[in-house]
Amino acid sequence: MTKNTSQTVLVTGATGTVGRQVVAELLRRGHTVRALTRDPEKARTVLLADVPTGDSRVEVVRGDLTDPASLAPALEGVTGMHLITFGGAMFAPLETGPEIVELARKAGVRRATVLFGGEETALQRAVEASELDWTVMQPVEFMANALEWAEAIRTEDTVAEPFTGRLSAMIHEADIDAVAAVALTEEGHAGRTYLLTGPETLTVQDKVDALAAARGREIALVELSEETAKERWRAAGQPEEVIDFLIMVYRDTPPEGRTVVGTVEEVTGSPARTFAQWAAEHAAAFRA
């Protein structure tokens, strides 16, 4: 793999869990970032939490993946682009892949990473069929998903979940970003689909124990029945298809979601971060 000097990378979904840290990781590695967003003011506020004030290497630009023409100015001078596969107000799968790829070709973009969204999309297929040096990022469960428990832990010292024995090789979002940054700026990753996991397989109890240790206070784990879990998700407004998906993957997690692979270290040269590290970094979110 050949390392390159400073490059300009377009990051879509720049205010999301992954995108905002892709921005920070690229800056840390000495590159320039163009952060694409439908709401530049919001993006500036969000990104300021991760980017040193006044860093001139990050530029927030307006654009919308559902409106490819809006991307043309943002692609000028860009060598790589990080793509999400959903767009619009309802996060529908993007159907504008061919147009985005053609704009990238005309602009001279060389590389693209695609964040896998749970199923292959039209945008992913368009990128894979292109002449771009593409890499698909396929992470398993994000460690950041544990933030869904934060309110109940702060107020009740409790986590309530179904299928508490389920296994997860969950990944620290910063490791997703580190792999993306390498694939976007270095040779040797074209045509690859990277399954990304953390360094260990955890039960729900393991996660709860790590959070309790990080915040310095015990947390009780309550196992919900399948029906109770469904009722809770319905009350929270989850669509039936989402509920069915959660039951399916929680009851019988696919092998790729519970099997550790060494991709993070192979690509970045650094071992994948543990959930204990993530918990320590976010301990304040779980304290009353």
PDB file of all heavy atoms in Angstrom, residues 3-7 9 21-33 55 57 174-186 189 264 267-270 273:
ATOM      1  N   LYS A   3       1.206   5.256   0.583  1.00  0.00           N
ATOM      2  CA  LYS A   3       0.575   6.410   1.210  1.00  0.00           C
ATOM      3  C   LYS A   3       0.704   7.624   0.300  1.00  0.00           C
ATOM      4  O   LYS A   3       1.673   7.781  -0.438  1.00  0.00           O
ATOM      5  CB  LYS A   3       1.216   6.689   2.573  1.00  0.00           C
ATOM      6  CG  LYS A   3       0.934   5.586   3.591  1.00  0.00           C
ATOM      7  CD  LYS A   3       1.399   5.995   4.972  1.00  0.00           C
ATOM      8  CE  LYS A   3       1.028   4.927   5.994  1.00  0.00           C
ATOM      9  NZ  LYS A   3       1.444   5.297   7.351  1.00  0.00           N
ATOM     10  N   ASN A   4      -0.292   8.493   0.363  1.00  0.00           N
ATOM     11  CA  ASN A   4      -0.298   9.673  -0.478  1.00  0.00           C
ATOM     12  C   ASN A   4      -0.178  10.921   0.372  1.00  0.00           C
ATOM     13  O   ASN A   4      -0.436  10.912   1.574  1.00  0.00           O
ATOM     14  CB  ASN A   4      -1.596   9.722  -1.290  1.00  0.00           C
ATOM     15  CG  ASN A   4      -1.694   8.557  -2.270  1.00  0.00           C
ATOM     16  OD1 ASN A   4      -0.978   8.516  -3.244  1.00  0.00           O
ATOM     17  ND2 ASN A   4      -2.581   7.623  -1.994  1.00  0.00           N
ATOM     18  N   THR A   5       0.229  12.033  -0.262  1.00  0.00           N
ATOM     19  CA  THR A   5       0.302  13.302   0.435  1.00  0.00           C
ATOM     20  C   THR A   5      -1.100  13.857   0.606  1.00  0.00           C
ATOM     21  O   THR A   5      -2.078  13.229   0.223  1.00  0.00           O
ATOM     22  CB  THR A   5       1.182  14.277  -0.360  1.00  0.00           C
ATOM     23  OG1 THR A   5       0.665  14.386  -1.691  1.00  0.00           O
ATOM     24  CG2 THR A   5       2.614  13.765  -0.417  1.00  0.00           C
ATOM     25  N   SER A   6      -1.202  15.051   1.164  1.00  0.00           N
ATOM     26  CA  SER A   6      -2.494  15.640   1.494  1.00  0.00           C
ATOM     27  C   SER A   6      -3.448  15.643   0.300  1.00  0.00           C
ATOM     28  O   SER A   6      -3.081  16.027  -0.807  1.00  0.00           O
ATOM     29  CB  SER A   6      -2.295  17.073   1.984  1.00  0.00           C
ATOM     30  OG  SER A   6      -3.537  17.660   2.306  1.00  0.00           O
ATOM     31  N   GLN A   7      -4.659  15.201   0.547  1.00  0.00           N
ATOM     32  CA  GLN A   7      -5.685  15.114  -0.480  1.00  0.00           C
ATOM     33  C   GLN A   7      -6.958  15.784   0.011  1.00  0.00           C
ATOM     34  O   GLN A   7      -7.127  16.027   1.206  1.00  0.00           O
ATOM     35  CB  GLN A   7      -5.962  13.649  -0.811  1.00  0.00           C
ATOM     36  CG  GLN A   7      -4.739  12.921  -1.351  1.00  0.00           C
ATOM     37  CD  GLN A   7      -4.942  11.419  -1.387  1.00  0.00           C
ATOM     38  OE1 GLN A   7      -5.863  10.934  -2.026  1.00  0.00           O
ATOM     39  NE2 GLN A   7      -4.099  10.685  -0.697  1.00  0.00           N
ATOM     40  N   VAL A   9     -10.997  15.301   0.317  1.00  0.00           N
ATOM     41  CA  VAL A   9     -11.989  14.230   0.326  1.00  0.00           C
ATOM     42  C   VAL A   9     -13.363  14.820   0.633  1.00  0.00           C
ATOM     43  O   VAL A   9     -13.516  15.619   1.554  1.00  0.00           O
ATOM     44  CB  VAL A   9     -11.629  13.166   1.381  1.00  0.00           C
ATOM     45  CG1 VAL A   9     -12.697  12.070   1.429  1.00  0.00           C
ATOM     46  CG2 VAL A   9     -10.254  12.564   1.094  1.00  0.00           C
ATOM     47  N   GLN A  21     -16.997  11.532  12.277  1.00  0.00           N
ATOM     48  CA  GLN A  21     -15.679  11.074  12.705  1.00  0.00           C
ATOM     49  C   GLN A  21     -14.775  10.738  11.525  1.00  0.00           C
ATOM     50  O   GLN A  21     -13.548  10.763  11.658  1.00  0.00           O
ATOM     51  CB  GLN A  21     -15.829   9.874  13.648  1.00  0.00           C
ATOM     52  CG  GLN A  21     -16.495  10.274  14.955  1.00  0.00           C
ATOM     53  CD  GLN A  21     -16.175   9.331  16.092  1.00  0.00           C
ATOM     54  OE1 GLN A  21     -15.025   8.961  16.302  1.00  0.00           O
ATOM     55  NE2 GLN A  21     -17.190   8.961  16.837  1.00  0.00           N
ATOM     56  N   VAL A  22     -15.370  10.443  10.362  1.00  0.00           N
ATOM     57  CA  VAL A  22     -14.548  10.332   9.154  1.00  0.00           C
ATOM     58  C   VAL A  22     -13.877  11.677   8.896  1.00  0.00           C
ATOM     59  O   VAL A  22     -12.692  11.757   8.565  1.00  0.00           O
ATOM     60  CB  VAL A  22     -15.389   9.895   7.939  1.00  0.00           C
ATOM     61  CG1 VAL A  22     -14.569   9.989   6.657  1.00  0.00           C
ATOM     62  CG2 VAL A  22     -15.900   8.466   8.117  1.00  0.00           C
ATOM     63  N   VAL A  23     -14.656  12.746   9.060  1.00  0.00           N
ATOM     64  CA  VAL A  23     -14.107  14.096   8.908  1.00  0.00           C
ATOM     65  C   VAL A  23     -12.924  14.297   9.852  1.00  0.00           C
ATOM     66  O   VAL A  23     -11.826  14.706   9.438  1.00  0.00           O
ATOM     67  CB  VAL A  23     -15.185  15.166   9.179  1.00  0.00           C
ATOM     68  CG1 VAL A  23     -14.556  16.564   9.242  1.00  0.00           C
ATOM     69  CG2 VAL A  23     -16.269  15.120   8.111  1.00  0.00           C
ATOM     70  N   ALA A  24     -13.130  14.003  11.139  1.00  0.00           N
ATOM     71  CA  ALA A  24     -12.084  14.215  12.138  1.00  0.00           C
ATOM     72  C   ALA A  24     -10.853  13.355  11.857  1.00  0.00           C
ATOM     73  O   ALA A  24      -9.710  13.804  12.015  1.00  0.00           O
ATOM     74  CB  ALA A  24     -12.632  13.922  13.530  1.00  0.00           C
ATOM     75  N   GLU A  25     -11.066  12.101  11.426  1.00  0.00           N
ATOM     76  CA  GLU A  25      -9.943  11.202  11.168  1.00  0.00           C
ATOM     77  C   GLU A  25      -9.130  11.656   9.955  1.00  0.00           C
ATOM     78  O   GLU A  25      -7.894  11.613   9.974  1.00  0.00           O
ATOM     79  CB  GLU A  25     -10.456   9.783  10.949  1.00  0.00           C
ATOM     80  CG  GLU A  25      -9.392   8.748  10.685  1.00  0.00           C
ATOM     81  CD  GLU A  25      -8.470   8.484  11.866  1.00  0.00           C
ATOM     82  OE1 GLU A  25      -8.842   8.829  13.012  1.00  0.00           O
ATOM     83  OE2 GLU A  25      -7.365   7.953  11.644  1.00  0.00           O
ATOM     84  N   LEU A  26      -9.801  12.108   8.913  1.00  0.00           N
ATOM     85  CA  LEU A  26      -9.084  12.604   7.745  1.00  0.00           C
ATOM     86  C   LEU A  26      -8.253  13.836   8.099  1.00  0.00           C
ATOM     87  O   LEU A  26      -7.103  13.977   7.653  1.00  0.00           O
ATOM     88  CB  LEU A  26     -10.067  12.931   6.622  1.00  0.00           C
ATOM     89  CG  LEU A  26     -10.667  11.718   5.901  1.00  0.00           C
ATOM     90  CD1 LEU A  26     -11.888  12.132   5.094  1.00  0.00           C
ATOM     91  CD2 LEU A  26      -9.634  11.050   4.997  1.00  0.00           C
ATOM     92  N   LEU A  27      -8.822  14.724   8.896  1.00  0.00           N
ATOM     93  CA  LEU A  27      -8.068  15.898   9.330  1.00  0.00           C
ATOM     94  C   LEU A  27      -6.863  15.489  10.169  1.00  0.00           C
ATOM     95  O   LEU A  27      -5.764  16.042  10.014  1.00  0.00           O
ATOM     96  CB  LEU A  27      -8.977  16.838  10.131  1.00  0.00           C
ATOM     97  CG  LEU A  27     -10.104  17.520   9.347  1.00  0.00           C
ATOM     98  CD1 LEU A  27     -10.998  18.303  10.301  1.00  0.00           C
ATOM     99  CD2 LEU A  27      -9.542  18.450   8.273  1.00  0.00           C
ATOM    100  N   ARG A  28      -7.057  14.520  11.037  1.00  0.00           N
ATOM    101  CA  ARG A  28      -5.959  14.051  11.887  1.00  0.00           C
ATOM    102  C   ARG A  28      -4.815  13.507  11.044  1.00  0.00           C
ATOM    103  O   ARG A  28      -3.640  13.626  11.415  1.00  0.00           O
ATOM    104  CB  ARG A  28      -6.471  12.974  12.846  1.00  0.00           C
ATOM    105  CG  ARG A  28      -5.472  12.574  13.925  1.00  0.00           C
ATOM    106  CD  ARG A  28      -5.983  11.442  14.788  1.00  0.00           C
ATOM    107  NE  ARG A  28      -6.012  10.185  14.055  1.00  0.00           N
ATOM    108  CZ  ARG A  28      -4.940   9.426  13.838  1.00  0.00           C
ATOM    109  NH1 ARG A  28      -3.754   9.816  14.266  1.00  0.00           N
ATOM    110  NH2 ARG A  28      -5.045   8.290  13.175  1.00  0.00           N
ATOM    111  N   ARG A  29      -5.159  12.918   9.894  1.00  0.00           N
ATOM    112  CA  ARG A  29      -4.152  12.349   9.013  1.00  0.00           C
ATOM    113  C   ARG A  29      -3.574  13.375   8.041  1.00  0.00           C
ATOM    114  O   ARG A  29      -2.805  13.029   7.155  1.00  0.00           O
ATOM    115  CB  ARG A  29      -4.738  11.167   8.251  1.00  0.00           C
ATOM    116  CG  ARG A  29      -5.024   9.956   9.136  1.00  0.00           C
ATOM    117  CD  ARG A  29      -5.834   8.891   8.419  1.00  0.00           C
ATOM    118  NE  ARG A  29      -6.037   7.741   9.277  1.00  0.00           N
ATOM    119  CZ  ARG A  29      -5.277   6.638   9.266  1.00  0.00           C
ATOM    120  NH1 ARG A  29      -4.260   6.554   8.426  1.00  0.00           N
ATOM    121  NH2 ARG A  29      -5.528   5.651  10.086  1.00  0.00           N
ATOM    122  N   GLY A  30      -3.985  14.639   8.174  1.00  0.00           N
ATOM    123  CA  GLY A  30      -3.375  15.697   7.384  1.00  0.00           C
ATOM    124  C   GLY A  30      -4.052  16.025   6.073  1.00  0.00           C
ATOM    125  O   GLY A  30      -3.476  16.720   5.231  1.00  0.00           O
ATOM    126  N   HIS A  31      -5.289  15.551   5.882  1.00  0.00           N
ATOM    127  CA  HIS A  31      -6.001  15.800   4.637  1.00  0.00           C
ATOM    128  C   HIS A  31      -6.991  16.957   4.783  1.00  0.00           C
ATOM    129  O   HIS A  31      -7.280  17.422   5.890  1.00  0.00           O
ATOM    130  CB  HIS A  31      -6.710  14.527   4.176  1.00  0.00           C
ATOM    131  CG  HIS A  31      -5.777  13.381   3.968  1.00  0.00           C
ATOM    132  ND1 HIS A  31      -4.875  13.330   2.928  1.00  0.00           N
ATOM    133  CD2 HIS A  31      -5.569  12.247   4.706  1.00  0.00           C
ATOM    134  CE1 HIS A  31      -4.162  12.221   3.010  1.00  0.00           C
ATOM    135  NE2 HIS A  31      -4.566  11.540   4.083  1.00  0.00           N
ATOM    136  N   THR A  32      -7.513  17.395   3.639  1.00  0.00           N
ATOM    137  CA  THR A  32      -8.523  18.450   3.599  1.00  0.00           C
ATOM    138  C   THR A  32      -9.879  17.809   3.354  1.00  0.00           C
ATOM    139  O   THR A  32      -9.994  16.874   2.559  1.00  0.00           O
ATOM    140  CB  THR A  32      -8.201  19.456   2.475  1.00  0.00           C
ATOM    141  OG1 THR A  32      -6.934  20.053   2.758  1.00  0.00           O
ATOM    142  CG2 THR A  32      -9.265  20.536   2.393  1.00  0.00           C
ATOM    143  N   VAL A  33     -10.903  18.312   4.028  1.00  0.00           N
ATOM    144  CA  VAL A  33     -12.222  17.693   3.964  1.00  0.00           C
ATOM    145  C   VAL A  33     -13.256  18.693   3.479  1.00  0.00           C
ATOM    146  O   VAL A  33     -13.284  19.850   3.907  1.00  0.00           O
ATOM    147  CB  VAL A  33     -12.657  17.155   5.343  1.00  0.00           C
ATOM    148  CG1 VAL A  33     -14.072  16.596   5.277  1.00  0.00           C
ATOM    149  CG2 VAL A  33     -11.691  16.094   5.821  1.00  0.00           C
ATOM    150  N   ASP A  55     -10.061  25.469  12.091  1.00  0.00           N
ATOM    151  CA  ASP A  55      -9.306  24.597  11.182  1.00  0.00           C
ATOM    152  C   ASP A  55      -9.767  24.865   9.751  1.00  0.00           C
ATOM    153  O   ASP A  55     -10.879  24.529   9.371  1.00  0.00           O
ATOM    154  CB  ASP A  55      -9.524  23.134  11.551  1.00  0.00           C
ATOM    155  CG  ASP A  55      -8.514  22.214  10.866  1.00  0.00           C
ATOM    156  OD1 ASP A  55      -8.120  22.517   9.720  1.00  0.00           O
ATOM    157  OD2 ASP A  55      -8.114  21.216  11.480  1.00  0.00           O
ATOM    158  N   ARG A  57      -8.903  23.496   7.090  1.00  0.00           N
ATOM    159  CA  ARG A  57      -8.878  22.338   6.186  1.00  0.00           C
ATOM    160  C   ARG A  57     -10.244  21.675   6.050  1.00  0.00           C
ATOM    161  O   ARG A  57     -10.386  20.718   5.286  1.00  0.00           O
ATOM    162  CB  ARG A  57      -7.852  21.318   6.676  1.00  0.00           C
ATOM    163  CG  ARG A  57      -6.409  21.800   6.587  1.00  0.00           C
ATOM    164  CD  ARG A  57      -5.480  20.790   7.232  1.00  0.00           C
ATOM    165  NE  ARG A  57      -5.852  20.578   8.631  1.00  0.00           N
ATOM    166  CZ  ARG A  57      -5.810  19.394   9.246  1.00  0.00           C
ATOM    167  NH1 ARG A  57      -5.442  18.317   8.579  1.00  0.00           N
ATOM    168  NH2 ARG A  57      -6.133  19.289  10.521  1.00  0.00           N
ATOM    169  N   ALA A 174     -15.053   4.876  15.717  1.00  0.00           N
ATOM    170  CA  ALA A 174     -13.779   5.471  15.305  1.00  0.00           C
ATOM    171  C   ALA A 174     -12.943   4.508  14.471  1.00  0.00           C
ATOM    172  O   ALA A 174     -12.134   4.940  13.642  1.00  0.00           O
ATOM    173  CB  ALA A 174     -12.990   5.925  16.537  1.00  0.00           C
ATOM    174  N   ASP A 175     -13.131   3.207  14.672  1.00  0.00           N
ATOM    175  CA  ASP A 175     -12.405   2.232  13.855  1.00  0.00           C
ATOM    176  C   ASP A 175     -12.971   2.156  12.442  1.00  0.00           C
ATOM    177  O   ASP A 175     -12.226   1.932  11.479  1.00  0.00           O
ATOM    178  CB  ASP A 175     -12.447   0.854  14.522  1.00  0.00           C
ATOM    179  CG  ASP A 175     -11.515   0.762  15.720  1.00  0.00           C
ATOM    180  OD1 ASP A 175     -10.482   1.445  15.711  1.00  0.00           O
ATOM    181  OD2 ASP A 175     -11.837   0.016  16.668  1.00  0.00           O
ATOM    182  N   ILE A 176     -14.290   2.348  12.315  1.00  0.00           N
ATOM    183  CA  ILE A 176     -14.879   2.426  10.973  1.00  0.00           C
ATOM    184  C   ILE A 176     -14.252   3.595  10.226  1.00  0.00           C
ATOM    185  O   ILE A 176     -13.856   3.492   9.061  1.00  0.00           O
ATOM    186  CB  ILE A 176     -16.404   2.614  11.060  1.00  0.00           C
ATOM    187  CG1 ILE A 176     -17.054   1.498  11.880  1.00  0.00           C
ATOM    188  CG2 ILE A 176     -17.013   2.677   9.650  1.00  0.00           C
ATOM    189  CD1 ILE A 176     -18.520   1.761  12.192  1.00  0.00           C
ATOM    190  N   ASP A 177     -14.137   4.714  10.925  1.00  0.00           N
ATOM    191  CA  ASP A 177     -13.615   5.933  10.315  1.00  0.00           C
ATOM    192  C   ASP A 177     -12.146   5.791   9.939  1.00  0.00           C
ATOM    193  O   ASP A 177     -11.718   6.287   8.898  1.00  0.00           O
ATOM    194  CB  ASP A 177     -13.792   7.104  11.288  1.00  0.00           C
ATOM    195  CG  ASP A 177     -15.207   7.182  11.829  1.00  0.00           C
ATOM    196  OD1 ASP A 177     -16.137   6.870  11.072  1.00  0.00           O
ATOM    197  OD2 ASP A 177     -15.380   7.536  12.997  1.00  0.00           O
ATOM    198  N   ALA A 178     -11.382   5.104  10.783  1.00  0.00           N
ATOM    199  CA  ALA A 178      -9.960   4.925  10.490  1.00  0.00           C
ATOM    200  C   ALA A 178      -9.777   4.096   9.227  1.00  0.00           C
ATOM    201  O   ALA A 178      -8.932   4.406   8.378  1.00  0.00           O
ATOM    202  CB  ALA A 178      -9.265   4.267  11.675  1.00  0.00           C
ATOM    203  N   VAL A 179     -10.578   3.025   9.071  1.00  0.00           N
ATOM    204  CA  VAL A 179     -10.493   2.196   7.867  1.00  0.00           C
ATOM    205  C   VAL A 179     -10.912   3.014   6.649  1.00  0.00           C
ATOM    206  O   VAL A 179     -10.273   2.954   5.589  1.00  0.00           O
ATOM    207  CB  VAL A 179     -11.352   0.932   8.019  1.00  0.00           C
ATOM    208  CG1 VAL A 179     -11.422   0.172   6.695  1.00  0.00           C
ATOM    209  CG2 VAL A 179     -10.800   0.030   9.113  1.00  0.00           C
ATOM    210  N   ALA A 180     -11.990   3.791   6.790  1.00  0.00           N
ATOM    211  CA  ALA A 180     -12.449   4.622   5.674  1.00  0.00           C
ATOM    212  C   ALA A 180     -11.378   5.619   5.249  1.00  0.00           C
ATOM    213  O   ALA A 180     -11.131   5.808   4.052  1.00  0.00           O
ATOM    214  CB  ALA A 180     -13.731   5.359   6.060  1.00  0.00           C
ATOM    215  N   ALA A 181     -10.726   6.246   6.224  1.00  0.00           N
ATOM    216  CA  ALA A 181      -9.708   7.247   5.901  1.00  0.00           C
ATOM    217  C   ALA A 181      -8.545   6.630   5.131  1.00  0.00           C
ATOM    218  O   ALA A 181      -8.016   7.227   4.188  1.00  0.00           O
ATOM    219  CB  ALA A 181      -9.210   7.911   7.182  1.00  0.00           C
ATOM    220  N   VAL A 182      -8.141   5.424   5.514  1.00  0.00           N
ATOM    221  CA  VAL A 182      -7.062   4.744   4.798  1.00  0.00           C
ATOM    222  C   VAL A 182      -7.498   4.404   3.374  1.00  0.00           C
ATOM    223  O   VAL A 182      -6.781   4.661   2.406  1.00  0.00           O
ATOM    224  CB  VAL A 182      -6.637   3.468   5.556  1.00  0.00           C
ATOM    225  CG1 VAL A 182      -5.674   2.637   4.697  1.00  0.00           C
ATOM    226  CG2 VAL A 182      -5.967   3.821   6.880  1.00  0.00           C
ATOM    227  N   ALA A 183      -8.702   3.821   3.239  1.00  0.00           N
ATOM    228  CA  ALA A 183      -9.178   3.424   1.917  1.00  0.00           C
ATOM    229  C   ALA A 183      -9.369   4.611   0.988  1.00  0.00           C
ATOM    230  O   ALA A 183      -9.218   4.477  -0.236  1.00  0.00           O
ATOM    231  CB  ALA A 183     -10.486   2.651   2.055  1.00  0.00           C
ATOM    232  N   LEU A 184      -9.679   5.766   1.539  1.00  0.00           N
ATOM    233  CA  LEU A 184      -9.919   6.966   0.738  1.00  0.00           C
ATOM    234  C   LEU A 184      -8.637   7.660   0.289  1.00  0.00           C
ATOM    235  O   LEU A 184      -8.671   8.460  -0.656  1.00  0.00           O
ATOM    236  CB  LEU A 184     -10.768   7.963   1.529  1.00  0.00           C
ATOM    237  CG  LEU A 184     -12.256   7.626   1.642  1.00  0.00           C
ATOM    238  CD1 LEU A 184     -12.900   8.450   2.749  1.00  0.00           C
ATOM    239  CD2 LEU A 184     -12.961   7.871   0.316  1.00  0.00           C
ATOM    240  N   THR A 185      -7.538   7.365   0.942  1.00  0.00           N
ATOM    241  CA  THR A 185      -6.322   8.141   0.674  1.00  0.00           C
ATOM    242  C   THR A 185      -5.101   7.303   0.346  1.00  0.00           C
ATOM    243  O   THR A 185      -4.046   7.856   0.036  1.00  0.00           O
ATOM    244  CB  THR A 185      -5.983   9.042   1.881  1.00  0.00           C
ATOM    245  OG1 THR A 185      -5.787   8.219   3.046  1.00  0.00           O
ATOM    246  CG2 THR A 185      -7.086  10.047   2.138  1.00  0.00           C
ATOM    247  N   GLU A 186      -5.216   5.976   0.386  1.00  0.00           N
ATOM    248  CA  GLU A 186      -4.072   5.116   0.114  1.00  0.00           C
ATOM    249  C   GLU A 186      -4.429   4.062  -0.940  1.00  0.00           C
ATOM    250  O   GLU A 186      -5.593   3.706  -1.108  1.00  0.00           O
ATOM    251  CB  GLU A 186      -3.593   4.424   1.395  1.00  0.00           C
ATOM    252  CG  GLU A 186      -3.126   5.393   2.474  1.00  0.00           C
ATOM    253  CD  GLU A 186      -2.625   4.690   3.717  1.00  0.00           C
ATOM    254  OE1 GLU A 186      -2.365   3.456   3.641  1.00  0.00           O
ATOM    255  OE2 GLU A 186      -2.497   5.345   4.762  1.00  0.00           O
ATOM    256  N   HIS A 189      -6.835  -0.804  -1.784  1.00  0.00           N
ATOM    257  CA  HIS A 189      -8.130  -1.166  -1.199  1.00  0.00           C
ATOM    258  C   HIS A 189      -9.257  -1.205  -2.231  1.00  0.00           C
ATOM    259  O   HIS A 189     -10.418  -1.357  -1.870  1.00  0.00           O
ATOM    260  CB  HIS A 189      -8.471  -0.186  -0.073  1.00  0.00           C
ATOM    261  CG  HIS A 189      -7.372  -0.065   0.929  1.00  0.00           C
ATOM    262  ND1 HIS A 189      -7.171  -0.994   1.921  1.00  0.00           N
ATOM    263  CD2 HIS A 189      -6.364   0.852   1.053  1.00  0.00           C
ATOM    264  CE1 HIS A 189      -6.104  -0.656   2.623  1.00  0.00           C
ATOM    265  NE2 HIS A 189      -5.591   0.451   2.120  1.00  0.00           N
ATOM    266  N   VAL A 264      -9.775  -4.377  10.908  1.00  0.00           N
ATOM    267  CA  VAL A 264      -9.354  -3.049  11.380  1.00  0.00           C
ATOM    268  C   VAL A 264      -7.836  -2.988  11.523  1.00  0.00           C
ATOM    269  O   VAL A 264      -7.182  -2.071  11.014  1.00  0.00           O
ATOM    270  CB  VAL A 264     -10.043  -2.698  12.717  1.00  0.00           C
ATOM    271  CG1 VAL A 264      -9.412  -1.436  13.322  1.00  0.00           C
ATOM    272  CG2 VAL A 264     -11.537  -2.496  12.513  1.00  0.00           C
ATOM    273  N   VAL A 267      -5.903  -3.256   8.112  1.00  0.00           N
ATOM    274  CA  VAL A 267      -5.940  -2.071   7.257  1.00  0.00           C
ATOM    275  C   VAL A 267      -5.219  -0.888   7.883  1.00  0.00           C
ATOM    276  O   VAL A 267      -4.475  -0.165   7.209  1.00  0.00           O
ATOM    277  CB  VAL A 267      -7.401  -1.690   6.926  1.00  0.00           C
ATOM    278  CG1 VAL A 267      -7.459  -0.353   6.165  1.00  0.00           C
ATOM    279  CG2 VAL A 267      -8.071  -2.789   6.109  1.00  0.00           C
ATOM    280  N   THR A 268      -5.425  -0.676   9.189  1.00  0.00           N
ATOM    281  CA  THR A 268      -4.905   0.534   9.835  1.00  0.00           C
ATOM    282  C   THR A 268      -3.584   0.333  10.557  1.00  0.00           C
ATOM    283  O   THR A 268      -2.889   1.312  10.858  1.00  0.00           O
ATOM    284  CB  THR A 268      -5.918   1.070  10.854  1.00  0.00           C
ATOM    285  OG1 THR A 268      -6.008   0.167  11.971  1.00  0.00           O
ATOM    286  CG2 THR A 268      -7.289   1.243  10.228  1.00  0.00           C
ATOM    287  N   GLY A 269      -3.242  -0.920  10.876  1.00  0.00           N
ATOM    288  CA  GLY A 269      -2.029  -1.173  11.641  1.00  0.00           C
ATOM    289  C   GLY A 269      -2.225  -1.056  13.138  1.00  0.00           C
ATOM    290  O   GLY A 269      -1.280  -1.282  13.907  1.00  0.00           O
ATOM    291  N   SER A 270      -3.429  -0.719  13.574  1.00  0.00           N
ATOM    292  CA  SER A 270      -3.730  -0.588  15.002  1.00  0.00           C
ATOM    293  C   SER A 270      -4.855  -1.545  15.371  1.00  0.00           C
ATOM    294  O   SER A 270      -5.782  -1.745  14.584  1.00  0.00           O
ATOM    295  CB  SER A 270      -4.160   0.845  15.343  1.00  0.00           C
ATOM    296  OG  SER A 270      -3.129   1.759  15.056  1.00  0.00           O
ATOM    297  N   ARG A 273     -10.548  -1.092  18.784  1.00  0.00           N
ATOM    298  CA  ARG A 273     -10.821  -0.623  20.142  1.00  0.00           C
ATOM    299  C   ARG A 273     -11.858  -1.514  20.825  1.00  0.00           C
ATOM    300  O   ARG A 273     -12.778  -2.001  20.191  1.00  0.00           O
ATOM    301  CB  ARG A 273     -11.328   0.824  20.102  1.00  0.00           C
ATOM    302  CG  ARG A 273     -10.324   1.832  19.552  1.00  0.00           C
ATOM    303  CD  ARG A 273     -11.018   3.139  19.212  1.00  0.00           C
ATOM    304  NE  ARG A 273     -10.131   4.207  18.815  1.00  0.00           N
ATOM    305  CZ  ARG A 273      -9.710   4.434  17.570  1.00  0.00           C
ATOM    306  NH1 ARG A 273     -10.077   3.620  16.594  1.00  0.00           N
ATOM    307  NH2 ARG A 273      -8.917   5.449  17.299  1.00  0.00           N
TER     308      ARG A 273
END
